[in-house]
């Protein structure tokens, strides 16, 4: 097994996939690297196949003609994208951009379908990912249309994994405040005001991107009903 095949085998996305699938999938894989802010694929382009973000953080977003951006998904290590364009001959519906330096592997459609035909576990894993994305998209639609900004921020923070053990309730924002505003469908100014109010109410204390959840019950209450 070569290094790339070994790296793929360790990804949660490919858990339980038989070893012999990786050479099929990766025989013509292309590795690309991007700097933070680089466009990986622009809206309307035709990706060559399935992309896997091997390391780094990237976002999928839409922008309006006025330049307003809405982040649709934040992709982390091991996350695939271009799944829809792999299944359908349609242009890429969004833009993918790097938030940090990113290492991306592209898998040709031909190899993707060869692996899917060889192993149903692989195909099921891809289907599972597509359905997860659909669920996330529905959740985002509900959040943006039904929740106020404080609820969206509290929900986002409450879902982050604690970085210093569950007891300490320290979490780290995975992106800048400016990028976070695009995820929650707000402006950086409204985000700062809300974070300040949440601190004053004793829910959190915040320093840069480091957030201490002072009172999780209050934070979860805010996620439900707002400030
Ligand atoms: N018309 C659309 N508008 C916004 N997002 C879309 C649209 N179609 C698909 N997507 C999402 O954009 C994602 C781009 O990467 P994927 O093809 O993996 O999955 C796609 C969907 O989750």
């Amino acid at each position: 097994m070569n290094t790339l095949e070994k790296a793929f085998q360790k990804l949660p996305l490919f858990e339980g996939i038989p070893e012999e699938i990786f050479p099929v999938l990766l025989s013509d894989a292309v590795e690309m690297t991007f700097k933070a802010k680089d466009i990986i694929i622009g809206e309307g382009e035709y990706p060559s196949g399935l992309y896997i973000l091997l390391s780094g953080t990237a976002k999928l977003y839409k922008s309006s003609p006025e330049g307003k951006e809405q982040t649709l998904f934040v992709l982390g290590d091991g996350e695939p994208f271009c799944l829809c364009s792999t299944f359908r001959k349609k242009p890429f519906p969004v833009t993918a951009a790097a938030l940090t330096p990113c290492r991306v592997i592209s898998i040709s459609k031909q190899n993707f379908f060869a692996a899917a035909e060889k192993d149903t576990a692989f195909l099921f894993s891809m289907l599972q990912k597509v359905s997860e994305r659909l669920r996330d998209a529905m959740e985002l639609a509900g959040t943006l249309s039904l929740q106020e900004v404080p609820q969206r921020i509290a929900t986002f923070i409450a879902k982050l994994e604690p970085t210093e053990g569950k007891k300490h309730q320290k979490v780290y924002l995975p992106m800048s405040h400016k990028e976070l505003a695009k995820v929650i469908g707000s402006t950086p100014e409204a985000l700062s005001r809300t974070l300040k109010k949440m601190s004053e109410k004793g829910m959190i204390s915040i320093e840069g991107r480091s957030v201490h959840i002072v009172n999780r019950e209050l934070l979860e209450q805010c996620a439900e009903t707002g400030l």
Side-chain angles (χ1 to χ4, degrees):
M1 251 196 171
N2 65 32
T3 325
L4 189 58
E5 289 167 10
K6 278 189 194 143
F8 264 61
Q9 205 185 17
K10 284 191 197 133
L11 299 178
L13 180 69
F14 298 119
E15 205 185 310
I17 307 297
E19 242 182 75
E20 60 270 22
I21 292 303
F22 297 102
V24 177
L25 196 62
L26 296 168
S27 69
D28 60 2
V30 177
E31 179 168 348
M32 295 166 281
T33 52
F34 298 91
K35 300 187 297 300
K37 298 194 178 160
D38 279 355
I39 302 288
I40 303 172
I41 311 174
E43 184 173 346
E45 288 179 28
Y46 283 83
S48 53
L50 180 72
Y51 282 46
I52 308 276
L53 180 62
L54 211 50
S55 63
T57 311
K59 63 176 178 177
L60 300 179
Y61 70 93
K62 277 275 207 197
S63 42
S64 71
E66 296 77 40
K68 187 174 180 250
E69 264 182 43
Q70 175 64 50
T71 299
L72 302 169
F73 290 104
V74 175
L75 304 161
D77 288 3
E79 286 283 344
F81 55 110
C82 303
L83 273 163
C84 296
S85 334
T86 301
F87 282 111
R88 305 182 318 154
K89 283 195 185 88
K90 294 274 181 189
F92 199 54
V94 295
T95 300
L99 287 171
T100 64
C102 287
R103 197 174 153 217
V104 177
I105 308 293
S106 90
I107 295 166
S108 68
K109 286 187 187 186
Q110 197 188 341
N111 280 7
F112 176 86
F113 288 113
E117 273 175 28
K118 206 169 160 60
D119 184 61
T120 43
F122 172 77
L123 191 55
F124 276 123
S125 172
M126 295 302 122
L127 273 176
Q128 199 175 1
K129 192 43 90 176
V130 172
S131 56
E132 269 173 32
R133 289 283 165 80
L134 180 62
R135 184 206 56 201
D136 290 348
M138 293 297 122
E139 208 174 282
L140 181 67
T143 302
L144 294 177
S145 54
L146 302 173
Q147 290 190 332
E148 299 297 333
V149 171
Q151 288 173 282
R152 295 182 214 160
I153 297 173
T155 305
F156 185 91
I157 295 175
K159 279 189 183 165
L160 292 173
E161 274 294 312
T163 49
E164 286 184 28
K166 297 236 180 298
K167 202 172 151 216
H168 298 291
Q169 301 290 12
K170 281 250 166 88
V171 295
Y172 189 71
L173 298 176
M175 63 201 76
S176 66
H177 289 198
K178 192 175 163 204
E179 286 298 334
L180 179 56
K182 294 175 196 168
V183 173
I184 56 159
S186 183
T187 59
E189 296 74 24
L191 173 68
S192 301
R193 276 197 303 276
T194 309
L195 288 172
K196 191 162 172 260
K197 274 194 204 153
M198 289 167 80
S199 302
E200 285 164 3
K201 294 211 171 199
M203 282 172 217
I204 55 167
S205 74
I206 185 157
E207 211 182 310
R209 283 163 69 168
S210 210
V211 182
H212 180 199
I213 300 175
V214 180
N215 188 328
R216 185 168 279 274
E217 209 177 310
L218 277 182
L219 182 71
E220 281 169 1
Q221 211 175 319
C222 177
E224 283 289 316
T225 53
L227 273 173

